[in-house]
């Protein structure tokens, strides 16, 4: 019997205290789980086609990173080039003799018709490799936002207008412009080198033509940022 309150007796099995909640609890309702903060970076969303328009700018890719990504892509495509080269080299050797293809120089041929045929085969081979490169660039950028080399260097290609994902038509246009510039050696070097002095978005000529920019995805918040004009 409680001497302070004679009319009250403790229950046989007291109710245990509830475990503390790790979620924010409103005084007028049940526990509410605080949603996580939205990710800052485009690349951390589930799919490259899912990122929303971005304002305020993101860090631009360094020219050195883009050169390194290009070298990696050439190493990736190298085995494909080699596989395509072997049968063409065999055709040239069987048709005109290996003396025409020493050191890969068709000018050593003494027969003008042989010279033209060998030069034609080399030209077709070069165009085939350029087309394969353009297809590779188109598929990788449209599907994943980056080629293997750009992924390795933590770069992504996005729209210059609003920071969104690059679609198939825009990726095709970007690769086609790079292909067109690459047809002329001087323009090919100028195309890639344009990013060294371009401001404010460090765009290569094919980026400018396609309306794309290349940004970093490695959470480095220094240096120049992209300027979205949309």
């Amino acid at each position: 019997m409680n001497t302070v309150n004679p009319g009250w007796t403790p229950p046989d099995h007291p109710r245990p205290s509830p475990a503390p909640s790790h979620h924010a609890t409103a005084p007028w309702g049940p526990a509410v789980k605080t949603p996580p903060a939205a990710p800052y970076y485009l690349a951390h969303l589930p799919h490259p086609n899912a990122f929303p328009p971005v304002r305020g700018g993101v860090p631009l890719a360094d020219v050195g990173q883009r050169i390194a990504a290009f070298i990696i892509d050439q190493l990736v495509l190298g085995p494909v080039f080699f596989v395509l080269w072997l049968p063409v080299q065999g055709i040239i050797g069987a048709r005109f003799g290996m003396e025409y293809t020493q050191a890969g120089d068709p000018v050593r041929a003494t027969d003008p018709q042989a010279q033209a045929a060998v030069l034609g085969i080399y030209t077709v081979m070069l165009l085939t490799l350029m087309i394969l490169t353009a297809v590779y660039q188109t598929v990788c950028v449209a599907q994943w936002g980056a080629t293997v080399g750009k992924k390795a260097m933590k770069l992504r290609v996005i729209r210059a207008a609003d920071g969104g994902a690059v679609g198939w038509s825009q990726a095709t246009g970007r690769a086609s412009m790079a292909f067109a510039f690459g047809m002329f050696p001087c323009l090919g070097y100028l195309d890639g080198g344009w990013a060294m002095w371009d401001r404010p978005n460090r765009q290569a000529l094919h980026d400018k033509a396609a309306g794309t920019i290349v940004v970093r995805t490695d959470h480095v918040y220094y240096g120049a940022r992209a300027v979205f004009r949309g």
Side-chain angles (χ1 to χ4, degrees), residues 11-35:
D12 294 336
H13 302 285
R15 179 177 298 175
S17 301
S21 173
H22 296 288
H23 306 308
T25 304
W28 58 84
V32 179
K33 185 176 181 180
T34 304

Side-chain angles (χ1 to χ4, degrees), residues 89-225:
Q89 185 74 9
I91 293 171
I92 295 174
R95 177 65 178 82
F96 303 109
M98 292 306 298
E99 66 271 21
Y100 296 154
T101 58
Q102 291 177 2
D105 187 2
V107 179
R108 295 191 180 191
T110 57
D111 183 359
Q113 292 183 350
Q115 287 184 353
V118 173
L119 185 60
I121 291 176
Y122 275 93
T123 302
V124 170
M125 184 64 186
L126 179 61
L127 289 174
T128 302
L129 298 182
M130 293 180 66
I131 292 172
L132 285 176
T133 302
V135 172
Y136 165 77
Q137 292 278 346
T138 299
V139 173
C140 289
V141 171
Q143 190 66 29
W144 301 290
T147 61
V148 174
K150 284 184 172 59
K151 280 183 174 292
M153 298 307 299
K154 301 186 184 303
L155 305 178
R156 184 184 296 278
V157 182
I158 61 175
R159 293 196 301 263
D162 56 11
V166 176
W168 283 96
S169 59
Q170 197 169 15
T172 302
R174 183 177 186 271
S176 298
M177 292 306 302
F179 175 88
F181 288 125
M183 292 288 293
F184 306 93
C186 294
L187 285 179
Y189 292 125
L190 181 63
D191 174 27
W194 197 269
M196 299 177 64
W197 56 78
D198 180 70
R199 297 294 181 272
N201 286 334
R202 296 180 188 165
Q203 291 171 298
L205 290 179
H206 62 268
D207 285 314
K208 282 188 171 297
T212 58
I213 53 177
V214 182
V215 296
R216 304 178 66 142
T217 63
D218 56 357
H219 289 270
V220 178
Y221 303 112
Y222 70 86
R225 291 175 178 261

Side-chain angles (χ1 to χ4, degrees), residues 44-130:
H44 289 255
L45 292 171
H47 189 275
N49 291 328
F51 26 7
V54 175
R55 302 293 174 181
V58 290
L60 292 165
D62 296 331
V63 175
Q65 289 176 306
R66 297 190 66 167
I67 294 175
F70 173 80
I71 294 173
I72 294 172
D73 286 331
Q74 297 310 303
L75 294 175
V76 170
L77 293 173
V80 180
F81 293 173
F82 181 74
V83 169
L84 291 175
W85 174 256
L86 287 178
V88 174
Q89 185 74 9
I91 293 171
I92 295 174
R95 177 65 178 82
F96 303 109
M98 292 306 298
E99 66 271 21
Y100 296 154
T101 58
Q102 291 177 2
D105 187 2
V107 179
R108 295 191 180 191
T110 57
D111 183 359
Q113 292 183 350
Q115 287 184 353
V118 173
L119 185 60
I121 291 176
Y122 275 93
T123 302
V124 170
M125 184 64 186
L126 179 61
L127 289 174
T128 302
L129 298 182
M130 293 180 66

